[in-house]
Amino acid sequence: MSVVIIGGNECMERKYRDLCQAHGCDAKVFCKYQGGLAERIGSPNLLILFTHTVPHKMVKCALQAVDENTTVVRCHSSSVSSLRQILAENA
C-alpha cells in the first residue's frame, strides 16, 4: 500500500516513514511545500492530510493531484499516535 503524508512536523518525518514501513506501507512525506508537488505525489492508495501544520496551498494541490480511488484522511493532530490510528484503520 502506498501512503502520502502532507503536513506534519519536519523533525517527525523519519518517524512517520518508519511507522508506515512497520504497517507494510511505502510512504512519501511532504512537510513543506516544494515545487512540482503534484507530480511527486503520484497515485497513492491513502492520502493523509495533517491539517494543523499544512498550508492551504498544499492541501489544494494534493487534492487536485490524486485520483478518485485514493482514500483521503484529514487529521488535525500530526502526532505519531494519530498516524498509528489512521494506519490501523486504513492499511
PDB file of all heavy atoms in Angstrom, residues 27-43:
ATOM      1  N   ALA A  27       5.887   4.992   2.029  1.00  0.00           N
ATOM      2  CA  ALA A  27       5.424   6.338   2.367  1.00  0.00           C
ATOM      3  C   ALA A  27       6.273   7.416   1.708  1.00  0.00           C
ATOM      4  O   ALA A  27       7.480   7.284   1.576  1.00  0.00           O
ATOM      5  CB  ALA A  27       5.460   6.531   3.877  1.00  0.00           C
ATOM      6  N   LYS A  28       5.578   8.476   1.317  1.00  0.00           N
ATOM      7  CA  LYS A  28       6.203   9.728   0.905  1.00  0.00           C
ATOM      8  C   LYS A  28       5.696  10.780   1.875  1.00  0.00           C
ATOM      9  O   LYS A  28       4.495  10.839   2.150  1.00  0.00           O
ATOM     10  CB  LYS A  28       5.803  10.121  -0.514  1.00  0.00           C
ATOM     11  CG  LYS A  28       6.313   9.207  -1.594  1.00  0.00           C
ATOM     12  CD  LYS A  28       5.850   9.713  -2.952  1.00  0.00           C
ATOM     13  CE  LYS A  28       6.226   8.759  -4.061  1.00  0.00           C
ATOM     14  NZ  LYS A  28       5.700   9.228  -5.352  1.00  0.00           N
ATOM     15  N   VAL A  29       6.603  11.594   2.397  1.00  0.00           N
ATOM     16  CA  VAL A  29       6.225  12.611   3.372  1.00  0.00           C
ATOM     17  C   VAL A  29       6.638  13.980   2.840  1.00  0.00           C
ATOM     18  O   VAL A  29       7.791  14.182   2.468  1.00  0.00           O
ATOM     19  CB  VAL A  29       6.893  12.351   4.745  1.00  0.00           C
ATOM     20  CG1 VAL A  29       6.469  13.406   5.748  1.00  0.00           C
ATOM     21  CG2 VAL A  29       6.559  10.956   5.254  1.00  0.00           C
ATOM     22  N   PHE A  30       5.682  14.905   2.812  1.00  0.00           N
ATOM     23  CA  PHE A  30       5.927  16.277   2.371  1.00  0.00           C
ATOM     24  C   PHE A  30       5.503  17.217   3.493  1.00  0.00           C
ATOM     25  O   PHE A  30       4.321  17.483   3.670  1.00  0.00           O
ATOM     26  CB  PHE A  30       5.147  16.589   1.091  1.00  0.00           C
ATOM     27  CG  PHE A  30       5.473  15.675  -0.057  1.00  0.00           C
ATOM     28  CD1 PHE A  30       4.640  14.625  -0.381  1.00  0.00           C
ATOM     29  CD2 PHE A  30       6.630  15.871  -0.799  1.00  0.00           C
ATOM     30  CE1 PHE A  30       4.937  13.778  -1.430  1.00  0.00           C
ATOM     31  CE2 PHE A  30       6.937  15.033  -1.853  1.00  0.00           C
ATOM     32  CZ  PHE A  30       6.089  13.981  -2.175  1.00  0.00           C
ATOM     33  N   CYS A  31       6.470  17.686   4.264  1.00  0.00           N
ATOM     34  CA  CYS A  31       6.164  18.584   5.380  1.00  0.00           C
ATOM     35  C   CYS A  31       6.094  20.040   4.929  1.00  0.00           C
ATOM     36  O   CYS A  31       5.350  20.826   5.508  1.00  0.00           O
ATOM     37  CB  CYS A  31       7.209  18.438   6.482  1.00  0.00           C
ATOM     38  SG  CYS A  31       7.166  16.818   7.267  1.00  0.00           S
ATOM     39  N   LYS A  32       6.875  20.387   3.920  1.00  0.00           N
ATOM     40  CA  LYS A  32       6.877  21.749   3.398  1.00  0.00           C
ATOM     41  C   LYS A  32       6.543  21.714   1.918  1.00  0.00           C
ATOM     42  O   LYS A  32       6.770  20.713   1.245  1.00  0.00           O
ATOM     43  CB  LYS A  32       8.248  22.404   3.588  1.00  0.00           C
ATOM     44  CG  LYS A  32       8.586  22.662   5.030  1.00  0.00           C
ATOM     45  CD  LYS A  32       9.744  23.620   5.239  1.00  0.00           C
ATOM     46  CE  LYS A  32      10.999  23.285   4.519  1.00  0.00           C
ATOM     47  NZ  LYS A  32      12.136  24.117   4.885  1.00  0.00           N
ATOM     48  N   TYR A  33       6.018  22.827   1.426  1.00  0.00           N
ATOM     49  CA  TYR A  33       5.686  22.912   0.005  1.00  0.00           C
ATOM     50  C   TYR A  33       6.962  22.906  -0.823  1.00  0.00           C
ATOM     51  O   TYR A  33       7.920  23.614  -0.521  1.00  0.00           O
ATOM     52  CB  TYR A  33       4.883  24.177  -0.291  1.00  0.00           C
ATOM     53  CG  TYR A  33       4.440  24.254  -1.729  1.00  0.00           C
ATOM     54  CD1 TYR A  33       3.360  23.507  -2.167  1.00  0.00           C
ATOM     55  CD2 TYR A  33       5.132  25.037  -2.637  1.00  0.00           C
ATOM     56  CE1 TYR A  33       2.954  23.550  -3.486  1.00  0.00           C
ATOM     57  CE2 TYR A  33       4.725  25.079  -3.965  1.00  0.00           C
ATOM     58  CZ  TYR A  33       3.647  24.336  -4.383  1.00  0.00           C
ATOM     59  OH  TYR A  33       3.256  24.371  -5.692  1.00  0.00           O
ATOM     60  N   GLN A  34       6.962  22.085  -1.859  1.00  0.00           N
ATOM     61  CA  GLN A  34       8.080  22.001  -2.779  1.00  0.00           C
ATOM     62  C   GLN A  34       7.529  22.126  -4.191  1.00  0.00           C
ATOM     63  O   GLN A  34       6.418  21.697  -4.473  1.00  0.00           O
ATOM     64  CB  GLN A  34       8.792  20.658  -2.627  1.00  0.00           C
ATOM     65  CG  GLN A  34       9.309  20.411  -1.229  1.00  0.00           C
ATOM     66  CD  GLN A  34       9.738  18.960  -1.034  1.00  0.00           C
ATOM     67  OE1 GLN A  34       9.600  18.131  -1.930  1.00  0.00           O
ATOM     68  NE2 GLN A  34      10.240  18.658   0.137  1.00  0.00           N
ATOM     69  N   GLY A  35       8.316  22.697  -5.055  1.00  0.00           N
ATOM     70  CA  GLY A  35       7.890  22.829  -6.442  1.00  0.00           C
ATOM     71  C   GLY A  35       7.654  21.463  -7.070  1.00  0.00           C
ATOM     72  O   GLY A  35       8.362  20.507  -6.797  1.00  0.00           O
ATOM     73  N   GLY A  36       6.654  21.370  -7.891  1.00  0.00           N
ATOM     74  CA  GLY A  36       6.339  20.113  -8.553  1.00  0.00           C
ATOM     75  C   GLY A  36       5.705  19.091  -7.623  1.00  0.00           C
ATOM     76  O   GLY A  36       5.822  17.886  -7.852  1.00  0.00           O
ATOM     77  N   LEU A  37       5.040  19.558  -6.597  1.00  0.00           N
ATOM     78  CA  LEU A  37       4.436  18.656  -5.609  1.00  0.00           C
ATOM     79  C   LEU A  37       3.406  17.733  -6.251  1.00  0.00           C
ATOM     80  O   LEU A  37       3.372  16.538  -5.965  1.00  0.00           O
ATOM     81  CB  LEU A  37       3.796  19.461  -4.472  1.00  0.00           C
ATOM     82  CG  LEU A  37       3.115  18.660  -3.374  1.00  0.00           C
ATOM     83  CD1 LEU A  37       4.146  17.844  -2.600  1.00  0.00           C
ATOM     84  CD2 LEU A  37       2.371  19.571  -2.433  1.00  0.00           C
ATOM     85  N   ALA A  38       2.597  18.257  -7.132  1.00  0.00           N
ATOM     86  CA  ALA A  38       1.537  17.451  -7.754  1.00  0.00           C
ATOM     87  C   ALA A  38       2.120  16.259  -8.512  1.00  0.00           C
ATOM     88  O   ALA A  38       1.571  15.151  -8.464  1.00  0.00           O
ATOM     89  CB  ALA A  38       0.701  18.319  -8.685  1.00  0.00           C
ATOM     90  N   GLU A  39       3.234  16.446  -9.186  1.00  0.00           N
ATOM     91  CA  GLU A  39       3.860  15.356  -9.928  1.00  0.00           C
ATOM     92  C   GLU A  39       4.532  14.351  -8.996  1.00  0.00           C
ATOM     93  O   GLU A  39       4.602  13.166  -9.292  1.00  0.00           O
ATOM     94  CB  GLU A  39       4.901  15.893 -10.925  1.00  0.00           C
ATOM     95  CG  GLU A  39       4.307  16.687 -12.061  1.00  0.00           C
ATOM     96  CD  GLU A  39       4.025  18.138 -11.680  1.00  0.00           C
ATOM     97  OE1 GLU A  39       4.713  18.690 -10.799  1.00  0.00           O
ATOM     98  OE2 GLU A  39       3.094  18.721 -12.264  1.00  0.00           O
ATOM     99  N   ARG A  40       5.033  14.809  -7.876  1.00  0.00           N
ATOM    100  CA  ARG A  40       5.757  13.939  -6.952  1.00  0.00           C
ATOM    101  C   ARG A  40       4.824  13.081  -6.104  1.00  0.00           C
ATOM    102  O   ARG A  40       5.240  12.059  -5.588  1.00  0.00           O
ATOM    103  CB  ARG A  40       6.661  14.773  -6.054  1.00  0.00           C
ATOM    104  CG  ARG A  40       7.746  15.487  -6.873  1.00  0.00           C
ATOM    105  CD  ARG A  40       8.608  16.359  -6.037  1.00  0.00           C
ATOM    106  NE  ARG A  40       9.376  15.525  -5.136  1.00  0.00           N
ATOM    107  CZ  ARG A  40       9.990  15.982  -4.061  1.00  0.00           C
ATOM    108  NH1 ARG A  40       9.922  17.250  -3.755  1.00  0.00           N
ATOM    109  NH2 ARG A  40      10.668  15.169  -3.285  1.00  0.00           N
ATOM    110  N   ILE A  41       3.573  13.489  -5.970  1.00  0.00           N
ATOM    111  CA  ILE A  41       2.622  12.721  -5.157  1.00  0.00           C
ATOM    112  C   ILE A  41       2.307  11.380  -5.818  1.00  0.00           C
ATOM    113  O   ILE A  41       2.255  10.355  -5.162  1.00  0.00           O
ATOM    114  CB  ILE A  41       1.331  13.530  -4.918  1.00  0.00           C
ATOM    115  CG1 ILE A  41       1.626  14.672  -3.943  1.00  0.00           C
ATOM    116  CG2 ILE A  41       0.222  12.642  -4.368  1.00  0.00           C
ATOM    117  CD1 ILE A  41       0.466  15.602  -3.703  1.00  0.00           C
ATOM    118  N   GLY A  42       2.100  11.381  -7.096  1.00  0.00           N
ATOM    119  CA  GLY A  42       1.777  10.151  -7.806  1.00  0.00           C
ATOM    120  C   GLY A  42       0.332   9.750  -7.601  1.00  0.00           C
ATOM    121  O   GLY A  42      -0.557  10.592  -7.514  1.00  0.00           O
ATOM    122  N   SER A  43       0.084   8.443  -7.471  1.00  0.00           N
ATOM    123  CA  SER A  43      -1.283   7.942  -7.251  1.00  0.00           C
ATOM    124  C   SER A  43      -1.280   6.989  -6.050  1.00  0.00           C
ATOM    125  O   SER A  43      -1.257   5.771  -6.214  1.00  0.00           O
ATOM    126  CB  SER A  43      -1.806   7.240  -8.498  1.00  0.00           C
ATOM    127  OG  SER A  43      -0.940   6.191  -8.849  1.00  0.00           O
TER     128      SER A  43
END
